[in-house]
Amino acid sequence: DTGVSQDPRHKITKRGQNVTFRCDPISEHNRLYWYRQTLGQGPEFLTYFQNEAQLEKSRLLSDRFSAERPKGSFSTLEIQRTEQGDSAMYLCASSLARKQGTKETQYFGPGTRLLVL
Amino acid sequence: GNSVTQMEGPVTLSEEAFLTINCTYTATGYPSLFWYVQYPGEGLQLLLKATKADDKGSNKGFEATYRKETTSFHLEKGSVQVSDSAVYFCALTLYNFNKFYFGSGTKLNVKP
């Protein structure tokens, strides 16, 4: 399977705990994106990387959230001191940007569904 | 700003009926437009796209035409199947912007 993969697919945690999600993009893709999707809504942009550089962060990404892509391949999204409002599907997407500013297609992973009790 | 508005669901149709899901957008630049589909318990899959005005995207019997004059990208299919039951998202992205803006999704239920 050469698509975007995410791990775990489901996570249940108690309020106040830390959680970490992993995303493995399509192998040749240089851009990686994180989105959050709450029930009945479309995905909302959180952050994106070009190679290992984090180039943009949404205001939705509070200081409890941190994302890394240390070697420009896989990425992790960590949520510290989780709150019930963090319950959502966290989607990862990747794309291949051949030229600065091009509008490229993003390919999505299956998501990690987080439930904070 | 940049946003996408979709018709509210759910849309319930009988098998072989004609489908239209409306999508309109506002954008600060010249967007590319996309339709994604999400089956239960799965992530988003690209269904079709159009990158400039009057382009028609098509895939698996679905079509959508980029209408700049009406800022619309309505999704159509001539004959739906039960297997088309899913949530459909309209989205846009802009030159020099790398994120997607998604609509809130339209759930389609197709009954046999």
Side-chain angles (χ1 to χ4, degrees):
Chain A
D1 183 15
T2 57
V4 179
S5 61
Q6 292 186 246
D7 183 70
R9 294 289 306 274
H10 303 274
K11 179 71 177 178
I12 300 174
T13 191
K14 293 182 180 178
R15 190 175 52 189
Q17 298 294 304
N18 299 343
V19 294
T20 300
F21 310 141
R22 177 180 169 125
C23 171
D24 287 88
I26 294 172
S27 59
E28 67 269 23
H29 283 186
N30 52 4
R31 285 190 177 158
L32 187 148
Y33 305 78
W34 286 98
Y35 291 83
R36 182 172 69 187
Q37 184 181 17
T38 53
L39 203 60
Q41 298 299 313
E44 296 174 292
F45 171 81
L46 293 178
T47 188
Y48 96 95
F49 293 83
Q50 172 129 351
N51 301 312
E52 65 276 8
Q54 188 173 18
L55 296 187
E56 187 176 348
K57 294 199 295 187
S58 162
R59 279 172 285 184
L60 292 175
L61 211 66
S62 77
D63 56 6
R64 295 185 297 106
F65 288 70
S66 62
E68 293 183 345
R69 195 183 183 199
K71 297 181 181 179
S73 56
F74 73 92
S75 175
T76 57
L77 177 68
E78 181 183 18
I79 310 174
Q80 296 182 326
R81 305 181 303 281
T82 53
E83 301 173 357
Q84 288 182 326
D86 297 332
S87 297
M89 173 83 89
Y90 290 85
L91 294 167
C92 177
S94 72
S95 67
L96 176 61
R98 292 190 174 89
K99 220 165 57 165
Q100 183 62 35
T102 55
K103 291 177 281 187
E104 69 278 1
T105 299
Q106 294 181 16
Y107 296 88
F108 284 79
T112 295
R113 187 172 292 283
L114 173 66
L115 177 61
V116 182
L117 301 176
Chain B
N2 303 299
S3 66
V4 175
T5 302
Q6 292 181 233
M7 63 188 286
E8 285 194 22
V11 173
T12 301
L13 296 173
S14 297
E15 208 164 22
E16 299 184 2
F18 184 86
L19 169 71
T20 300
I21 300 178
N22 290 338
C23 170
T24 56
Y25 67 89
T26 58
T28 54
Y30 197 135
S32 289
L33 303 172
F34 300 76
W35 278 99
Y36 282 84
V37 58
Q38 188 174 35
Y39 297 101
E42 298 185 12
L44 278 71
Q45 298 177 23
L46 177 65
L47 182 59
L48 53 84
K49 68 178 182 181
T51 58
K52 60 183 188 295
D54 300 325
D55 270 2
K56 178 185 283 187
S58 61
N59 186 27
K60 299 180 182 178
F62 291 89
E63 292 183 341
T65 301
Y66 188 143
R67 301 284 187 204
K68 192 178 179 187
E69 64 275 14
T70 55
T71 62
S72 65
F73 192 55
H74 304 320
L75 183 68
E76 296 182 336
K77 187 175 186 183
S79 175
V80 293
Q81 306 300 312
V82 173
S83 57
D84 294 327
S85 297
V87 181
Y88 292 82
F89 292 94
C90 186
L92 69 83
T93 189
L94 289 164
Y95 187 84
N96 283 336
F97 288 83
N98 299 289
K99 57 194 168 189
F100 273 43
Y101 298 86
F102 285 88
S104 57
T106 302
K107 185 172 184 179
L108 171 65
N109 295 318
V110 180
K111 297 187 172 181

